Amino acid sequence: MNSSNASNISGPKYGYDFVVATTQASINGTMMNFLSSRKEPVVAICYIADASGHPVPIDYTELKKRAQGSDPFAVPNGALPSTSNDLRNLFNARFMMGFRARLGLPRVPDPSKLPDIVTLGSDTSAVTFNMLCSEFTVVQLDPGNGWGGPSWMNQSQSATSPWVFTSKVDLRLSTVDASAYSTLPPDVQKKIMNVGSQAFSVQQLLFDLTNASLMTIPTISGTTPGTALYMILQQYFLGAYFTQMQKESQPLLGCSIVMHDAPISTLKLTSFNFSVNPYVDPNGQPYPKPTIPQQQLATLNYLCAANNHALPPAVRFNWNWVDASQLNDHDGTIAINRATFANYFRNQLAFQVSRSCILPHVRVYLSDPFTSTVNYSWTLTAGQTPTVTLPPTGKTVLRFDYTAESADEAGLNADMGKFRLKTTYGLTVDFVGKTIVVTQHLVVYMYIRSLQTDGEGNLVDKTITDTYTLGIDASGTLVPSLLSNTTDNSNSPSVNAALNFFTRFNDISNSVKDTVQAFAGSKLQDMPIATVQNYVFPGGKTFLFKNVGFSDYGDLVSFISYADPTGKAVPSVPSVPSVPHTTVSVVGGKAVNEKA
């Protein structure tokens, strides 16, 4: 099923506020681009022998100071300790070995032959990570023993066979599961689960992947097992250095991220977890032996909670976020839960909806027991509270409903007069295809009786349908176009001239109609286009957005592509005053309006 139609993160199995899913192919392509264009810091790690001959780390600058300014990485391979003054200085400083490395792409003739940096597979707790370095040099001073003299080694990775350090990384960012993340100090957890502007960037992902505490001990390729170089890398880089980084919960080789400003998202990311989604068949099951293209379509999913909502457990999706036909055009998909997006509308529309929720109050009374003067009075008060419903399925995602009525009568069995007003207001929000349809319907019904003459009708019966057709700009801001349609079926009861002469029924009816239509009609208005226009997707600095619409289940979905890696509050509802109290008295065949 097409990803834009299949998203159902609002379903009871999932429940995430939104999901960002990026393909393995796009992660590797973007990370390669990032590593080729940005220079990570050079890390130099050195070891000297303590009094017992065991290696202990020493600061690179301090080592050179102890070695009279001699730099171990400047001494050429094969230099003789017996003739090199630099090696004599290093020997006197008890230097044993060191390495200098920089994360990045190795300088190889054909970068396309480099291994993928990330292979997602099917297990979030064991994502394969190949750490590559643009430069890596190992130096060692062997003091020799009784059977052989001292020797010096200075070797760097070659352009034809770069060193690759392969590890399994546990990307489960949960403190409930028995994950590596759950064992980290809170300050380190916060750096890994970065909910800031770079949360979804490849820079942040690289930072997470290189954290030693989340990794298994890497294996080395590009060097021959059993050689002195291999043994040094095993003992010092993957032994002493890696163990120290694990202990300190630090990233290897000083990996860091540079923070950038990003458009302020409407949803505030407050927590997330990762999950891996292998490419699935039409039945929603992973292919047991996926092809290379199918592996590239696997996605790393950011399962996100917003606004301090609880984050549901990580669950695998039974649909593909990007299909094979879309791989060349899209890096992934972002989906907003239908309920989350509906709640946005609930908050945005609350004030305007309240204005159209009108409470009527009517009164019918005789001026005194000895006259036939009948008084009809009424008030309408807006700003009432409707019932709100968020249906979990179907095209309608949000409903506001309000109804109220008031009735009164005068005389014996209402033989002098009777009056009833009933107001009904409803608003629905539908998500269909690429449109948001907001429909409002306001009805004010009146029944009125004067002596033995009565009539009824809908003084206000008005429907406004606003249809927003959605677009999206590259930064993730919705760009809607609005088409509005109004239907007015309002009417009012009336009688013929003869009856009106005796009862003044039409005068009373028209007076009520004019007041009600002037008041209630002013409350029902088009939904402002800014309601939709102000919505900004998460990830606006990291991704470019296009082709937005709703899934078959009502989630708001947009395809995303990585941007170049180098590089409103809800108004409070004020008190709404009642309309002036209006009284119509029938006195001597005339209708008289009185303002209370």
Side-chain angles (χ1 to χ4, degrees), residues 67-72 74-76 83-92 141:
Q68 307 301 313
S70 294
D71 184 350
V75 181
T83 60
S84 170
N85 187 56
D86 286 326
L87 289 182
R88 283 194 292 268
N89 291 337
L90 290 168
F91 180 85
N92 291 333
L141 177 58

Side-chain angles (χ1 to χ4, degrees), residues 285-300:
Q285 298 300 315
Y287 288 94
K289 295 182 179 180
T291 63
I292 296 299
Q294 289 170 344
Q295 292 178 36
Q296 297 297 334
L297 284 162
T299 54
L300 180 65

Side-chain angles (χ1 to χ4, degrees), residues 22 173 189 279 334 336 392 423 431:
T22 54
L173 305 188
Q189 289 181 348
Y279 197 66
I334 184 169
I336 310 294
T423 63
F431 294 164

Side-chain angles (χ1 to χ4, degrees), residues 490-519:
S490 304
N491 64 75
S492 59
S494 63
V495 297
N496 61 42
L499 284 174
N500 185 59
F501 178 80
F502 292 103
T503 65
R504 314 312 296 172
F505 178 89
N506 290 350
D507 297 334
I508 301 169
S509 175
N510 289 335
S511 180
V512 176
K513 178 195 70 174
D514 292 344
T515 305
V516 169
Q517 288 185 346
F519 178 71

Side-chain angles (χ1 to χ4, degrees), residues 9-10 16-17 336-346 390-392 397 431 553-556:
I9 62 173
S10 54
Y16 315 111
D17 284 324
I336 310 294
N337 186 313
R338 66 177 270 154
T340 302
F341 195 41
N343 265 311
Y344 166 76
F345 274 89
R346 175 182 183 174
L390 284 84
V397 300
F431 294 164
Y553 302 93
D555 293 339
L556 181 63

Side-chain angles (χ1 to χ4, degrees), residues 69-149:
S70 294
D71 184 350
F73 299 105
V75 181
N77 187 48
L80 299 176
S82 59
T83 60
S84 170
N85 187 56
D86 286 326
L87 289 182
R88 283 194 292 268
N89 291 337
L90 290 168
F91 180 85
N92 291 333
R94 304 181 67 81
F95 178 75
M96 297 182 70
M97 71 82 57
F99 62 85
R100 183 172 63 185
R102 186 202 302 267
L103 283 174
L105 292 189
R107 299 180 181 89
V108 296
D110 186 0
S112 67
K113 293 185 178 180
L114 290 171
D116 281 346
I117 296 174
V118 176
T119 302
L120 297 175
S122 60
D123 186 353
T124 313
S125 68
V127 172
T128 301
F129 172 54
N130 289 317
M131 189 176 72
L132 304 175
C133 296
S134 60
E135 55 185 273
F136 204 124
T137 299
V138 174
V139 293
Q140 183 193 37
L141 177 58
D142 185 349
N145 53 39
W147 302 103

Side-chain angles (χ1 to χ4, degrees), residues 4-5 338 341 394-397 430-437 467-471 478 537 547-558:
S4 61
N5 296 324
R338 66 177 270 154
F341 195 41
K395 68 176 184 178
T396 300
V397 300
D430 295 348
F431 294 164
V432 183
K434 292 182 176 294
T435 63
I436 299 171
V437 182
T467 301
Y468 302 88
T469 301
L470 298 182
L478 288 180
F537 271 80
N547 198 17
V548 68
F550 293 101
S551 74
D552 292 342
Y553 302 93
D555 293 339
L556 181 63
V557 179
S558 174

